[in-house]
Amino acid sequence: MPIPQSSTPPAAAPYGPGAPAPHAPRHATPDHQPPTEFDPAAGLFAILLPGAGHFWAGERVRGLLIAAGVLGLFVGGMLIGGIDIIDRRENPIWFAGQALVGPVAFGVDYIHQNHVKVVQRMQDPRTGQVTESRRTPRPAYTDANGIPHNAEQRGPDGAPVPAAAGAPAGSGKSLGRMYELGTLYAAIAGMLNLIAVIDAAFRSRRAA
């Protein structure tokens, strides 16, 4: 004799605080992160030149965009405030941020210290020892005795020499906000490059 089929639907899975959690598919796990790889060569290239680390790793478009952004800010700062915004002697705190751009910042500072500033040589009358200091050439001024002086130029040996009457100084800091903005632009460029260096050295496997 055939067994009659039950018309009762199968019991639903238990639901509530004590019910087991359903298994989510592996590919749908929200906290799954791509593995991170350490690439010291890419990090080194990124330190030497902005964007070079990503370019070496095969991300050429990203590397070119980083180079354009970082170097654009750095050079733009100098166009606004002049080369005097890069000064490790007078602005060491700001230069600490600007130096993150890499050898480019140190090269600009070298040119500034050795080819733009004048060398002030002073002799101690007691010991006869000569000391040197580097400073920005003075503009035209009148001293305490009321004697007018022409602006200064850098001589062949680096010493300050008087410029022609009415001529500007060989170099000088821009006025007010222009100098501040230029200094800030160059420092922001360095901090952005630090982020790019970290991204180049510790790269995640990006989806193709």
Side-chain angles (χ1 to χ4, degrees):
M1 181 177 180
I3 300 175
Q5 297 289 335
S6 173
S7 60
T8 305
Y15 179 80
H23 293 284
R26 183 179 297 271
H27 64 273
T29 305
D31 58 349
H32 178 68
Q33 299 293 336
T36 301
E37 297 178 345
F38 175 59
D39 191 342
L44 178 61
F45 281 116
I47 292 173
L48 294 177
L49 183 66
H54 291 81
F55 196 87
W56 182 86
E59 301 182 34
R60 297 186 176 182
V61 175
R62 186 184 294 266
L64 292 175
L65 291 176
I66 291 173
V70 173
L71 296 178
L73 269 176
F74 187 80
V75 175
M78 288 194 295
L79 291 177
I80 294 173
I83 194 174
D84 299 87
I85 67 171
I86 312 297
D87 195 332
R88 61 181 174 84
R89 295 178 182 270
E90 297 184 23
N91 298 323
I93 296 178
W94 283 107
F95 184 75
Q98 298 163 352
L100 296 174
V101 174
V104 174
F106 289 92
V108 172
D109 178 72
Y110 177 83
I111 294 173
H112 182 208
Q113 301 294 338
N114 296 279
H115 298 283
V116 177
K117 284 188 170 184
V118 296
V119 180
Q120 186 72 48
R121 296 179 175 89
M122 300 183 65
Q123 184 176 14
D124 191 327
R126 295 175 300 176
T127 63
Q129 184 179 3
V130 178
T131 59
E132 294 184 354
S133 62
R134 300 178 186 275
R135 60 173 174 80
T136 303
R138 292 192 185 101
Y141 69 101
T142 301
D143 61 20
N145 298 321
I147 301 176
H149 295 266
N150 293 346
E152 294 177 338
Q153 298 283 348
R154 179 183 170 92
D157 60 347
V161 295
S171 178
K173 295 181 179 180
S174 55
L175 300 177
R177 296 295 182 184
M178 297 179 66
Y179 181 82
E180 295 176 2
L181 287 175
T183 304
L184 181 61
Y185 273 37
I188 292 176
M191 289 184 282
L192 287 177
N193 192 51
L194 175 61
I195 298 174
V197 170
I198 295 174
D199 183 65
F202 299 92
R203 296 185 304 112
S204 298
R205 294 177 181 173
R206 300 183 179 92

